[in-house]
Amino acid sequence: MAAVSQLQRQFIEYTTSLYNEGYLDDQYTQLQKLQDESNPDFVVEVVSLFFEDSEKLLNNLATALQQKIVDYKQVDSHVHQFKGSSSSIGAQRVTNVCIHFRNFCEEKNLDGCLRCLQQLKHEYIQVRNKLEGLFRLEQQILQAGGSVPMMESICTSASTMSSSGKLSA
Amino acid sequence: MGLKMQGQHHLVAVSLNEQQQQMESKRKYTWYIPRTNQGKYLILWIIVFGYAAIHVYRCIDAGHQERIQEGLVSMCDQRARMLQDQFSVCVNHVHALAVLVSTFHYYKNPSVIDQDTFAEYTARTAFERPLLSGVAYAQRVMNSERVDFESQHGGTIRTMANKEPSPHRDEYAPVIFSQETVSYLNLLDMMSGEEDRENILRARSTGKAVLTSPFKLLGSHHLGVVLTIPVYKSKLPPNASVRDRIEATAGYLGGAFDVESLVENLLGQLAGNQEIIVKVYDVTNASDPLIMYGRQTQEGDPTRVHVSSLDFGDPFRKHEMTCRYLHEAPISLTASITAVFGYVIVILVGYMFYTGTIHIVQVEDDFDTMQNLKVRAEAADVAKSQFLATVSHEIRTPMNGILGMLALLLDTDLSSTQRDYAQTAQACGRALITLINEVLDRAKIEAGKLELEALPFDLRSILDDVLSLFSEKSRNKGIELAVLVSDKVPQIVMGDPGRFRQVITNLVGNSVKFTEQGHIFVQVHLAEHSKAVQDSKPETCMNGRSNGHQWKTLSGREVADDQNSWDKFKHLISDEEFMFDGNNSQNVNLMVSVEDTGIGIPLHAQKLVFMPFMQADSSTSRHYGGTGIGLSISKCLVELMGGQISFVSRPQIGSTFSFTAKFTRCEKNTVTDPKRTPYDDLPTSFNGLKATVVDTKPVRAAVTKYHLKRLGVLVEVVNSIKTASGQPDMILVEKDVWLSGDNFDNPFNNIRVNGHALKQPKVILLATNVTGGELDKAKAAGFSDTLVMKPLRASMVAACLQQVLGTGKAEQGKGMANGSVYLRGLLCGKKILVVDDNLVNRRVAAGALKKFGAEVECAESGKAALELLQIPHGFDACFMDIQMPEMDGFEATRRIRMMEREINEQQTSGSTDGCCDNRATEWHLPILAMTADVIQATFEECQKSGMDGYVSKPFQEENLYQEVAKFFESKPATDC
């Protein structure tokens, strides 16, 4: 029991640090909310989709930027894709790099684009590692027989109240 | 002077005009003011007074000229007189010489005078005759006597012209005696000179001194005259005839006057010599005056001449003296200054009249314009009133529908949360209706036609309603908003709930608007009680400070009104029996105060606070909005309610508005309307429960206690959880207490030690606003139960308690459902198509929509979507990503709409044979854009291409709900 609670605490701390350091944002919370009994692996599923998608996109981007004549339109659409998927899972830092990337695309700044690509790769790998770590922790908790603490359960009531307030206002 | 009077007249006239115009609304003017051509009048004025000024100048100048003339006359006369006197002195002396000659030369025999004697005598007496260059005596010698004479004197008689021996004549007048200066005259015949001869003849016939006309004197360049006096042999009677005189004539004494030197000397002695030019003329022949003195060329001032006649004792000769000023008389300074100054003054006065007139005309014109504008404004006001009436009617009709539906909804079986939402909606709707009525009533208030209603109402629930109106705003700003009604205030009072609510709403609304941090605290006490406490505790009033840095107020910040200190407050909320005389009376005087810690009111603006449309300054209204009419209406209303409104405000610290209002006590039996019973909406299931409130701030604790008390919960307030005693059913903890207190890391453990595991109290966190970090911390500390967001309201607290206590086990799942209950209602069972090329996005969107009970199908491109949407299809809505390769969202939407149009047209054309259902089957699939960047341009494009709206991506519940509600609102939420 103690091990579980320790794991739980560790999990909470880890998650909190992810939020605080900006790896994840509110959208990830929303994603978590969508997960319920009927759909127990929703988050993992979506996140793995994101990983696959991202790796494909990163490859595409690298190829596109190595061309003699760089097709910025194509690069931009890849980055747009990346931005969309990263913001969907709440990978905030990746999204932010994508925004910069698109600016460079608009300027047709090859150096900037290449720099951004490196940055993007870096951020992606980081967030992937973090999320994988998070999932590992979850698995450990589940295996130990505990339940994964929901970050949001605590403010259920708060959100109820606030939405009532919003609607009445 | 005149102008001023005119101005006053004008004022009177205008005020009269005003009255008259009000009476008959006709244009009238002051009649004596020229309405046009003021410029011409001004010029006329200037010209007329120009002539007047010239006239004045002339009048004054005439006197001046006269004085100048007088000066000339007197100087001239003086000179003439002196000249005459000197002349006559000389003449007299020559006379004396004549007498001398006759006496000593003729009467004595033999003669005692010879040439030497005469020369010496005359030389010695020459100073007596300064004007005479010399005198000489010529003896009368008849032709018969010539030879004797010549022999006696040893010379011949010569003529004057060439000094030759004289030719034969009847008579001669050779000079025998002469002064030394004229010794060359000796034996010259005086009768040979034309002038002298005439003179001699005239002199002997008149027996008087005679003068020649002026001529150039011998031996000198000066003009001169010669004086000749006859000397008789015997004494003549005074009436002797001319013949006798000629007979008796013995000789002639003559002298030459040097007139030029004479006058020169004379003038030299006189003052003012330089100023005038003097000329002396011989005017014996009036037509040809001969000049005796003065240069012909020297003219001087030609305008002023004075002529004085001179009498040199020779009646035959006439002399005169003309005087002129050397220079022209200077222009009279006085006259010119007077005239110019006078003229300038007159011009100024004229100009003043001119501008005054123009001003008057302008003011009258303005007045007229304003009169017109006023008429138009009044017309506009009438129009505005009509517009307001129409619009408010138009708003009220649908609002009544909404309220009716809400009432019906409330009658159905609802969960407590749903009930709370619906009630809030209803309350807000009612408030809106009331506000509309208030807008209309404003006119009534201003006209003094407002009448207050007398209805029984529960002011606590009204205050809760008002708070709920502002809860969102205050929460966003992080302001603590609280209400507290004293226990001594009756549950139900008779009065006008709408007006009371209006005043409170206005005051709280202002406070919320102007407060950025701190608190807003509404208190209601009995006026008598409040006053009594205030009177009895005057010495403690200043001690609002507690530990030096904290103020004992709701949020711990300083407030404007020290009177609302904790000391006083303690007494107000204490349970001790308060006795006052009016306890049994029908009247309830309430004292309501609204305290905030906002920006306060600047001192200079404090007087204007209750004036309509006044805000502290224009930047305030720019910054905070609002018209500033609210407080003036509130003031009217409070006065109508028999009370007074006042405020205390300190800039940067806050304001406290307080007002009193008179209500009447309501008998229990009059409350027959079940809807108005106070606890109608407050559940009674909590009666008798025990609660512990952990709070270090007494005022805030009192507020929490007040709300719980209304629910029938017994409350104990403690400073920290450790001091809690007994066995509470719930523990309410303030967020800051919990955050700051180390003694609170694990409340569960403490409680568990104290009590039984079975009766574990629920811990509820109270907070104004929560940041993410704090939320995490709460979670970490194990706060799994609940968190109540302020402002507290009895109904909300009740709902929360119900959730915490009643449905503890199913809490988590249900809480989730509750949060999105509306969406669930809307989306449940709907078939929705999600179009997005991004796999992750698609999956997330689908997951979210599924969550709300929708049936979701996905398409990864616009083309795929078009295929799926071939009519007929079973989709209720479509969420479409905008940026997609090949076919973007706009294009896809356009094609879908085209498709729909074709089908619809076919249907319409096909329905001519009598099918009437075609309207219901008209195809229009709601298409919502999903977009990450929500900018206006995109939104417009969405609409252009036929989309019905857009949602931001990733989904936000609020936004999704708003958009979806547009299409599905009419459809009742089916159960799923």
Side-chain angles (χ1 to χ4, degrees):
Chain A
M1 209 51 187
V4 173
S5 71
Q6 202 192 337
L7 277 171
Q8 280 177 336
R9 192 166 302 142
Q10 200 187 338
F11 177 82
I12 287 166
E13 275 166 19
Y14 192 64
T15 320
T16 315
S17 76
L18 287 184
Y19 282 106
N20 288 345
E21 287 163 31
Y23 287 107
L24 296 180
D25 65 9
D26 192 47
Q27 182 57 25
Y28 186 74
T29 324
Q30 299 285 332
L31 213 58
Q32 279 184 318
K33 273 202 222 169
L34 297 177
Q35 181 168 290
D36 56 15
E37 294 84 0
S38 61
N39 206 352
D41 296 325
F42 181 71
V43 177
V44 177
E45 184 194 335
V46 171
V47 171
S48 348
L49 274 173
F50 169 68
F51 290 161
E52 286 168 27
D53 195 43
S54 304
E55 262 146 50
K56 193 179 74 199
L57 283 170
L58 282 171
N59 282 335
N60 288 349
L61 278 172
T63 328
L65 285 173
Q66 273 162 10
Q67 302 295 317
K68 273 182 187 163
I69 302 157
V70 178
D71 183 356
Y72 284 101
K73 222 173 167 184
Q74 202 194 354
V75 174
D76 186 65
S77 87
H78 287 318
V79 179
H80 175 68
Q81 288 268 351
F82 210 159
K83 183 175 152 244
S85 52
S86 61
S87 70
S88 275
I89 69 146
Q92 206 179 345
R93 288 166 72 147
V94 178
T95 316
N96 290 342
V97 177
C98 287
I99 292 168
H100 287 297
F101 205 151
R102 289 193 73 179
N103 289 340
F104 284 124
C105 277
E106 248 170 62
E107 294 167 16
K108 310 211 165 169
N109 181 341
L110 188 60
D111 285 345
C113 284
L114 288 171
R115 225 174 22 247
C116 271
L117 182 61
Q118 289 310 315
Q119 228 177 323
L120 202 54
K121 269 184 189 163
H122 174 73
E123 288 294 344
Y124 163 68
I125 288 164
Q126 272 204 320
V127 80
R128 192 179 67 185
N129 292 341
K130 298 277 178 189
L131 283 170
E132 277 168 357
L134 196 65
F135 293 150
R136 262 199 306 282
L137 259 177
E138 262 184 46
Q139 289 301 317
Q140 279 170 6
I141 293 169
L142 290 174
Q143 275 165 14
S147 67
V148 179
M150 278 294 285
M151 285 302 286
E152 293 316 302
S153 58
I154 177 175
C155 49
T156 327
S157 178
S159 74
T160 313
M161 289 308 153
S162 81
S163 67
S164 97
K166 272 175 196 163
L167 291 170
S168 69
Chain B
M1 11 138 234
L3 192 76
K4 200 172 177 182
M5 279 178 60
Q6 196 184 351
Q8 284 166 352
H9 277 297
H10 171 242
L11 282 179
V12 173
V14 166
S15 64
L16 280 175
N17 267 355
E18 196 174 355
Q19 287 168 355
Q20 283 168 350
Q21 283 196 338
Q22 275 168 357
M23 296 292 280
E24 48 195 285
S25 75
K26 211 173 152 188
R27 193 168 170 156
K28 280 200 172 181
Y29 298 110
T30 37
W31 53 268
Y32 48 83
I33 298 293
R35 306 221 52 88
T36 51
N37 296 333
Q38 293 95 340
K40 286 180 188 169
Y41 284 101
L42 179 66
I43 291 169
L44 189 66
W45 172 277
I46 288 172
I47 290 172
V48 165
F49 278 90
Y51 282 117
I54 291 168
H55 180 70
V56 166
Y57 173 76
R58 281 189 181 150
C59 285
I60 298 173
D61 196 43
H64 178 67
Q65 298 293 342
E66 206 172 308
R67 274 194 302 282
I68 292 174
Q69 186 70 35
E70 276 169 10
L72 185 69
V73 169
S74 68
M75 281 196 288
C76 203
D77 286 350
Q78 188 190 11
R79 278 156 180 73
R81 208 169 48 244
M82 285 181 71
L83 184 63
Q84 208 172 302
D85 288 352
Q86 294 252 344
F87 201 89
S88 52
V89 166
C90 291
V91 170
N92 286 346
H93 207 265
V94 175
H95 236 287
L97 276 179
V99 173
L100 180 87
V101 170
S102 67
T103 307
F104 290 99
H105 188 62
Y106 292 106
Y107 298 166
K108 292 272 185 198
N109 207 357
S111 163
V112 290
I113 298 173
D114 55 7
Q115 167 63 32
D116 294 340
T117 318
F118 187 86
E120 187 170 348
Y121 180 76
T122 50
R124 287 175 67 178
T125 57
F127 69 95
E128 296 268 22
R129 311 175 299 273
L131 306 177
L132 289 172
S133 48
V135 287
Y137 177 70
Q139 193 180 355
R140 187 186 183 196
V141 177
M142 302 306 287
N143 199 26
S144 53
E145 299 162 348
R146 179 174 176 171
V147 180
D148 289 346
F149 179 81
E150 281 180 344
S151 64
Q152 187 185 343
H153 284 274
T156 51
I157 296 168
R158 289 169 295 165
T159 60
M160 284 176 77
N162 39 23
K163 301 199 176 152
E164 292 294 302
S166 174
H168 174 82
R169 286 179 187 251
D170 289 346
E171 195 178 342
Y172 307 96
V175 173
I176 54 169
F177 303 138
S178 60
Q179 205 179 333
E180 259 177 294
T181 49
V182 286
S183 53
Y184 55 87
L185 290 175
N186 214 1
L187 291 182
L188 286 186
D189 181 11
M190 283 298 136
M191 297 270 271
S192 62
E194 185 64 24
E195 301 279 341
D196 293 310
R197 180 190 164 81
E198 237 170 73
N199 233 25
I200 287 166
L201 291 179
R202 214 149 44 80
R204 73 180 180 198
S205 60
T206 57
K208 286 181 180 172
V210 293
L211 294 170
T212 60
S213 61
F215 61 95
K216 281 250 160 94
L217 290 177
L218 277 177
S220 131
H221 293 296
H222 290 178
L223 282 174
V225 289
V226 172
L227 173 77
T228 312
I229 295 176
V231 176
Y232 299 102
K233 288 175 202 150
S234 57
K235 282 178 189 166
L236 284 176
N239 54 352
S241 65
V242 174
R243 193 179 172 78
D244 292 341
R245 287 176 197 277
I246 294 169
E247 284 303 317
T249 301
Y252 323 95
L253 194 65
F257 276 99
D258 183 348
V259 178
E260 226 166 322
S261 319
L262 169 72
V263 178
E264 204 82 51
N265 287 341
L266 189 67
L267 294 182
Q269 296 164 12
L270 288 169
N273 193 26
Q274 302 303 318
E275 288 172 18
I276 55 172
I277 295 167
V278 176
K279 289 178 185 175
V280 181
Y281 293 95
D282 181 327
V283 288
T284 313
N285 184 358
S287 62
D288 179 25
L290 295 169
I291 192 151
M292 288 169 74
Y293 170 74
R295 270 164 287 173
Q296 202 72 39
T297 50
Q298 202 172 4
E299 273 305 319
D301 180 10
T303 53
R304 264 181 222 90
V305 183
H306 181 71
V307 179
S308 304
S309 61
L310 291 169
D311 180 11
F312 289 142
D314 179 359
F316 179 72
R317 295 269 165 205
K318 282 176 188 153
H319 296 91
E320 60 183 33
M321 180 184 266
T322 24
C323 298
R324 292 173 198 272
Y325 278 106
L326 181 59
H327 301 291
E328 280 187 40
I331 296 165
S332 163
L333 210 60
T334 333
S336 51
I337 286 177
T338 310
V340 167
F341 268 85
Y343 191 47
V344 165
I345 288 170
V346 167
I347 284 180
L348 286 181
V349 168
Y351 185 71
M352 278 158 76
F353 275 121
Y354 171 71
T355 48
T357 307
I358 283 184
H359 183 66
I360 289 166
V361 169
Q362 198 179 351
V363 165
E364 279 174 354
D365 286 349
D366 287 354
F367 176 75
D368 192 61
T369 317
M370 281 173 205
Q371 202 77 19
N372 287 337
L373 287 176
K374 186 180 155 225
V375 170
R376 275 162 60 187
E378 278 164 358
D381 198 48
V382 170
K384 186 198 76 182
S385 301
Q386 284 169 351
F387 172 77
L388 272 181
T390 317
V391 167
S392 65
H393 176 74
E394 294 298 319
I395 295 171
R396 267 194 278 188
T397 313
M399 272 311 291
N400 283 334
I402 293 170
L403 287 179
M405 286 300 123
L406 280 171
L408 288 178
L409 180 66
L410 280 171
D411 287 342
T412 57
D413 191 17
L414 294 174
S415 73
S416 65
T417 320
Q418 283 171 329
R419 181 167 291 273
D420 185 39
Y421 293 159
Q423 277 168 349
T424 311
Q426 198 177 31
C428 294
R430 282 195 194 123
L432 178 57
I433 286 279
T434 323
L435 279 172
I436 292 164
N437 289 340
E438 279 161 3
V439 168
L440 283 176
D441 287 341
R442 196 186 66 182
K444 277 194 196 170
I445 294 177
E446 280 162 2
K449 285 177 186 167
L450 188 89
E451 283 172 12
L452 292 180
E453 285 179 294
L455 298 171
F457 69 99
D458 178 7
L459 58 92
R460 286 176 178 79
S461 69
I462 286 199
L463 289 168
D464 276 357
D465 285 352
V466 173
L467 246 60
S468 72
L469 272 177
F470 295 104
S471 58
E472 173 76 4
K473 262 191 205 162
S474 67
R475 209 178 287 145
N476 286 345
K477 285 183 162 185
I479 310 167
E480 188 143 9
L481 181 60
V483 64
L484 187 138
V485 181
S486 161
D487 293 341
K488 296 167 186 71
V489 177
Q491 293 292 345
I492 308 284
V493 292
M494 289 281 278
D496 193 328
R499 302 302 167 199
F500 181 69
R501 184 197 165 102
Q502 191 179 352
V503 176
I504 300 269
T505 309
N506 179 255
L507 293 180
V508 176
N510 276 345
S511 289
V512 170
K513 205 190 285 179
F514 296 115
T515 305
E516 296 302 330
Q517 46 192 343
H519 69 263
I520 296 159
F521 188 23
V522 185
Q523 295 179 65
V524 185
H525 298 287
L526 287 181
E528 291 85 356
H529 190 186
S530 172
K531 196 164 179 290
V533 171
Q534 200 164 319
D535 292 344
S536 66
K537 296 277 174 193
E539 74 280 6
T540 58
C541 283
M542 296 311 288
N543 305 339
R545 214 177 303 227
S546 67
N547 298 330
H549 65 284
Q550 272 268 342
W551 300 78
K552 285 201 172 180
T553 59
L554 188 65
S555 65
R557 291 172 66 89
E558 190 180 1
V559 295
D561 191 0
D562 286 333
Q563 304 288 310
N564 275 323
S565 66
W566 166 242
D567 294 301
K568 179 188 164 196
F569 187 69
K570 204 159 55 185
H571 284 275
L572 282 176
I573 60 166
S574 63
D575 293 330
E576 69 193 42
E577 213 36 57
F578 168 66
M579 303 299 289
F580 64 93
D581 300 338
N583 211 356
N584 298 322
S585 80
Q586 277 300 101
N587 282 337
V588 184
N589 288 323
L590 293 182
M591 169 84 183
V592 184
S593 68
V594 178
E595 167 187 302
D596 69 53
T597 58
I599 58 170
I601 302 164
L603 294 176
H604 66 86
Q606 291 196 353
K607 280 182 193 162
L608 302 172
V609 160
F610 293 113
M611 303 275 287
F613 305 111
M614 285 289 177
Q615 282 193 336
D617 53 53
S618 56
S619 70
T620 312
S621 71
R622 230 180 298 127
H623 197 256
Y624 298 100
T627 58
I629 198 173
L631 280 173
S632 72
I633 292 183
S634 297
K635 186 167 187 276
C636 295
L637 290 176
V638 167
E639 277 161 8
L640 279 171
M641 285 191 267
Q644 286 168 329
I645 190 163
S646 64
F647 68 94
V648 179
S649 179
R650 286 195 280 159
Q652 305 314 319
I653 286 174
S655 315
T656 302
F657 280 81
S658 46
F659 68 91
T660 55
K662 268 188 195 139
F663 295 102
T664 50
R665 229 165 255 282
C666 183
E667 297 301 324
K668 293 280 180 216
N669 55 9
T670 58
V671 192
T672 48
D673 190 351
K675 278 180 187 169
R676 297 199 185 273
T677 52
Y679 284 133
D680 185 41
D681 46 358
L682 291 182
T684 51
S685 56
F686 308 109
N687 249 334
L689 291 179
K690 284 179 194 163
T692 301
V693 173
V694 185
D695 196 346
T696 51
K697 287 183 186 165
V699 180
R700 193 167 54 181
V703 172
T704 316
K705 189 175 170 184
Y706 153 73
H707 286 291
L708 289 170
K709 252 178 137 178
R710 286 172 64 192
L711 296 169
V713 179
L714 301 171
V715 184
E716 185 200 16
V717 179
V718 293
N719 268 338
S720 92
I721 192 69
K722 280 173 184 160
T723 56
S725 62
Q727 184 58 57
D729 296 288
M730 60 197 123
I731 298 172
L732 292 97
V733 188
E734 282 290 338
K735 188 191 75 180
D736 53 349
V737 175
W738 167 68
L739 281 176
S740 63
D742 288 353
N743 55 344
F744 222 94
D745 359 81
N746 202 340
F748 297 106
N749 293 350
N750 276 341
I751 299 302
R752 274 191 197 130
V753 172
N754 285 348
H756 307 285
L758 283 174
K759 286 193 80 181
Q760 180 185 345
K762 294 289 175 186
V763 179
I764 297 165
L765 194 63
L766 302 175
T768 311
N769 55 338
V770 182
T771 62
E774 286 167 355
L775 206 59
D776 298 339
K777 200 174 170 193
K779 171 78 181 168
F783 260 111
S784 55
D785 281 343
T786 190
L787 177 133
V788 176
M789 296 297 288
K790 289 189 175 179
L792 294 179
R793 280 177 291 148
S795 61
M796 191 184 73
V797 174
C800 188
L801 291 184
Q802 234 163 20
Q803 204 171 352
V804 173
L805 298 171
T807 59
K809 281 177 189 169
E811 183 195 357
Q812 196 166 326
K814 226 180 172 180
M816 182 72 77
N818 280 345
S820 42
V821 65
Y822 293 101
L823 271 176
R824 206 170 173 76
L826 290 174
L827 292 173
C828 191
K830 297 285 189 296
K831 196 174 175 192
I832 292 174
L833 179 66
V834 173
V835 187
D836 198 329
D837 60 321
N838 189 316
L839 183 62
V840 181
N841 286 353
R842 205 158 61 217
R843 189 71 189 83
V844 173
L849 290 170
K850 269 181 193 163
K851 187 80 202 165
F852 299 125
E855 219 178 292
V856 182
E857 222 169 290
C858 296
E860 58 178 357
S861 70
K863 270 187 183 165
L866 275 180
E867 272 165 38
L868 280 169
L869 288 175
Q870 288 298 328
I871 290 166
H873 61 74
F875 291 102
D876 293 303
C878 174
F879 285 82
M880 177 96 67
D881 186 26
I882 288 174
Q883 215 173 4
M884 289 186 292
E886 289 182 60
M887 187 189 292
D888 68 8
F890 296 132
E891 178 61 28
T893 309
R894 270 193 286 276
R895 296 209 185 174
I896 292 165
R897 291 280 177 251
M898 219 153 64
M899 231 152 61
E900 282 175 351
R901 246 197 321 278
E902 277 170 29
I903 301 288
N904 287 343
E905 272 164 24
Q906 278 171 21
Q907 278 194 352
T908 322
S909 57
S911 71
T912 42
D913 27 277
C915 182
C916 23
D917 290 348
N918 53 359
R919 238 169 36 137
T921 57
E922 191 169 287
W923 290 96
H924 182 92
L925 180 71
I927 299 176
L928 294 167
M930 289 192 292
T931 169
D933 33 45
V934 189
I935 51 168
Q936 195 62 25
T938 319
F939 174 66
E940 276 163 11
E941 199 144 353
C942 286
Q943 291 199 318
K944 226 189 286 168
S945 56
M947 287 177 171
D948 298 276
Y950 67 93
V951 291
S952 60
K953 194 170 68 170
F955 288 152
Q956 282 164 356
E957 214 169 81
E958 276 301 285
N959 177 240
L960 188 62
Y961 171 74
Q962 274 177 10
E963 290 300 321
V964 167
K966 285 185 196 165
F967 317 109
F968 300 143
E969 62 188 340
S970 55
K971 299 174 188 171
T974 49
D975 203 37
C976 52

